[in-house]
Amino acid sequence: MAKLNSNYDKLAAGYLFPEIARRAKAFASAHPSVKILRMGIGDTTEPLTPTIVKGLHERVDLLANRATYTGYGDSEGELPLREAIAADYATRGSTVNADEIFVSDGAKPDTGNIQTIFSEDAIVAVQDPAYPVYVDTNVIAGRAGNFDASRGLYERIVYMPCNEDNGFFPSVPSGKADIIYLCSPNNPTGNVATREQLTAFVAYARQHRAVILFDAAYRDYIKDPTLPRSIYEIEGARECAIEFYSFSKGAGFTGVRLGWCVIPKTLVLEDGDIGKTHRLWTRRQNTYFNGASNIVQAGALAALTPAGKAECQATIDYYMQNAALIRSTLQDLHIRCFGGDNAPYVWLKTPGNMKSWDFFDKLLSEAHVVGTPGSGFGPSGEGYFRLSSFGHRENIEAALQSVRQNLKL
Ligand code: PLP
């Protein structure tokens, strides 16, 4: 008899976004003449830039020719791309070698799969609220224990609350944690960790031989030059941190798909010799993955050229102008909001301390706007709500106008 992995039964609820879609669909069928305005999912909307499109086209043309056709590539990614990524780190003074970079089909697969190389009994710590992939993949792997519905958390996960009191960034765990997920700029709070805050986590990780899994998917949204864009800007991080990046939000690759993960060969873990984590991940990728699309890798290489970077920055600036509009609207309405200045997400405190899902229903029924309930990201997200700045300007403006006119505060 084939038995299924019973850990799936422990997943607390349906994934957040299907539930949002279900409620929005139910509202739309009950009110067919109403146009729903979406500020929920963090999906990009603006087109790929000319330099990227050219890079993609050129690679397609090479594949169309017998003399230049290529098939499987290295599962770690093509060397010119990995060298361009390493050079990009060097511009900020970080040392990352090309052979420490693993190109992938995105940061969701990488941040989800990485836990497979760690021991089953490792203690996992997450920022609370957090991108749901970190917790859910550890639930599936059997590391999270049972879900305690009364407290809205898993018994074996260490939750590091991020709230107004600590400026939405946690202190290091007071007890033991082996695998620590950090995301900066943060989804969902829009907070960016300072150099001092990351330095404290690097010190903790080195002291306890823990590993930091640093998700830098939104690093390109950081405008403030004093804020770190990579954990490797912190001294000692090469001993204790793995970093993830996604071309999704920086270059509009949410559908195109590409990301990377850095595993320094200098990483020191409790039981492994130096370099073992890198070897394990190489083995894992060679077993499960046959490399990212070569066409897409050419597009990513184009994105990392000076012209590509300048064009991508212009698109990011466009989204950040949306974020500024969202913030100013909320401020005018005296709704407390955070983030949105170095990150594409604005995190708001629900008016009158409403529960996140109650505010979701209110915003949808009164203003016809769909956002994301903070409680879907963890227990400390309760009473908060996320608005995304991804969207065409005219749609964002229409949504904000509807909030101003129709939301009853
Ligand atoms: N990491 C964070 C924090 C995200 O918010 C997202 C997407 O929303 C991802 C990773 C996913 O990245 P990708 O599209 O490369 O899989």
Side-chain angles (χ1 to χ4, degrees):
M1 186 172 61
K3 281 195 175 174
L4 295 172
N5 177 352
S6 59
N7 291 321
Y8 277 82
D9 299 333
K10 295 183 181 163
L11 288 168
Y15 190 67
L16 174 64
F17 293 105
E19 175 59 16
I20 292 173
R22 193 190 66 72
R23 292 196 190 202
K25 201 170 160 208
F27 182 82
S29 1
H31 306 86
S33 61
V34 168
K35 183 172 181 325
I36 293 187
L37 305 155
R38 294 185 188 275
M39 297 179 82
I41 299 183
D43 196 1
T44 47
T45 54
E46 301 312 299
L48 297 176
T49 75
T51 298
I52 293 173
V53 171
K54 186 162 169 278
L56 293 167
H57 278 166
E58 283 172 0
R59 193 56 177 267
V60 171
D61 289 341
L62 291 179
L63 293 175
N65 185 326
R66 196 177 200 195
T68 50
Y69 172 84
T70 49
Y72 290 126
D74 293 338
S75 75
E76 295 89 345
E78 297 181 345
L79 191 56
L81 177 59
R82 290 192 286 147
E83 284 173 346
I85 295 167
D88 185 65
Y89 275 109
T91 61
R92 295 271 305 179
S94 311
T95 304
V96 170
N97 303 317
D99 63 1
E100 296 174 322
I101 295 163
F102 296 80
V103 174
S104 72
D105 56 349
K108 185 177 200 172
D110 280 352
T111 53
N113 291 327
I114 193 72
Q115 47 78 26
T116 60
I117 62 169
F118 297 108
S119 89
E120 274 171 37
D121 58 358
I123 305 282
V124 171
V126 292
Q127 282 168 286
D128 171 27
Y131 181 51
V133 170
Y134 315 145
V135 169
D136 285 359
T137 52
N138 281 290
V139 172
I140 292 168
R143 250 180 232 109
N146 290 318
F147 186 66
D148 177 345
S150 64
R151 293 190 297 154
L153 40 78
Y154 287 91
E155 285 162 353
R156 280 197 81 237
I157 299 261
V158 174
Y159 289 81
M160 302 183 291
C162 298
N163 47 42
E164 278 178 81
D165 292 342
N166 60 16
F168 296 99
F169 193 81
S171 330
V172 297
S174 48
K176 178 177 159 63
D178 305 310
I179 303 176
I180 304 168
Y181 290 83
L182 292 179
C183 176
S184 175
N186 191 266
N187 177 14
T189 66
N191 178 67
V192 184
T194 63
R195 191 168 293 279
E196 293 68 34
Q197 288 169 328
L198 293 186
T199 301
F201 270 86
V202 167
Y204 174 95
R206 288 173 78 185
Q207 190 191 344
H208 296 86
R209 295 213 169 177
V211 65
I212 297 172
L213 303 180
F214 190 76
D215 188 343
Y218 297 95
R219 68 159 203 199
D220 302 316
Y221 288 77
I222 298 178
K223 280 189 283 196
D224 180 343
T226 65
L227 293 169
R229 289 160 49 102
S230 161
I231 188 93
Y232 302 119
E233 291 176 35
I234 308 301
E235 207 190 317
R238 282 181 53 80
E239 273 179 35
C240 63
I242 292 175
E243 179 163 294
F244 306 91
Y245 175 79
S246 165
F247 283 90
S248 286
K249 314 300 162 90
F253 277 27
T254 48
V256 178
R257 311 299 308 143
L258 208 78
W260 77 66
C261 138
V262 176
I263 307 206
K265 290 189 175 172
T266 44
L267 208 67
V268 187
L269 297 186
E270 200 176 347
D271 57 353
D273 53 304
I274 293 178
K276 186 166 180 189
T277 317
H278 182 278
R279 290 199 301 279
L280 277 191
W281 187 245
T282 306
R283 185 71 175 83
R284 192 267 168 209
Q285 290 299 79
N286 285 338
T287 304
Y288 284 89
F289 189 57
N290 246 342
S293 151
N294 47 17
I295 299 169
V296 173
Q297 292 190 64
L301 189 57
L304 291 174
T305 60
K309 281 186 186 176
E311 291 167 5
C312 287
Q313 189 57 52
T315 309
I316 289 167
D317 291 346
Y318 176 90
Y319 292 129
M320 291 307 287
Q321 283 155 19
N322 288 346
L325 290 175
I326 297 171
R327 281 184 62 104
S328 65
T329 303
L330 295 173
Q331 279 157 359
D332 287 350
L333 296 174
H334 304 291
I335 295 176
R336 283 213 306 285
C337 65
F338 312 89
D341 41 10
N342 289 286
Y345 297 119
V346 177
W347 187 239
L348 64 92
K349 180 80 195 88
T350 56
N353 248 343
M354 291 179 80
K355 296 259 184 205
S356 302
W357 277 109
D358 291 344
F359 185 69
F360 175 92
D361 292 334
K362 178 180 169 71
L363 192 66
L364 178 58
S365 61
E366 292 176 6
H368 311 147
V369 170
V370 172
T372 311
S375 56
F377 297 96
S380 296
E382 184 58 276
Y384 290 90
F385 201 79
R386 191 192 80 176
L387 292 179
S388 161
S389 65
F390 295 111
H392 298 317
R393 177 69 40 79
E394 60 275 23
N395 293 346
I396 298 281
E397 282 173 346
L400 293 175
Q401 196 187 356
S402 177
V403 170
R404 279 183 194 274
Q405 284 172 354
N406 304 316
L407 188 67
K408 298 187 188 80
L409 290 168

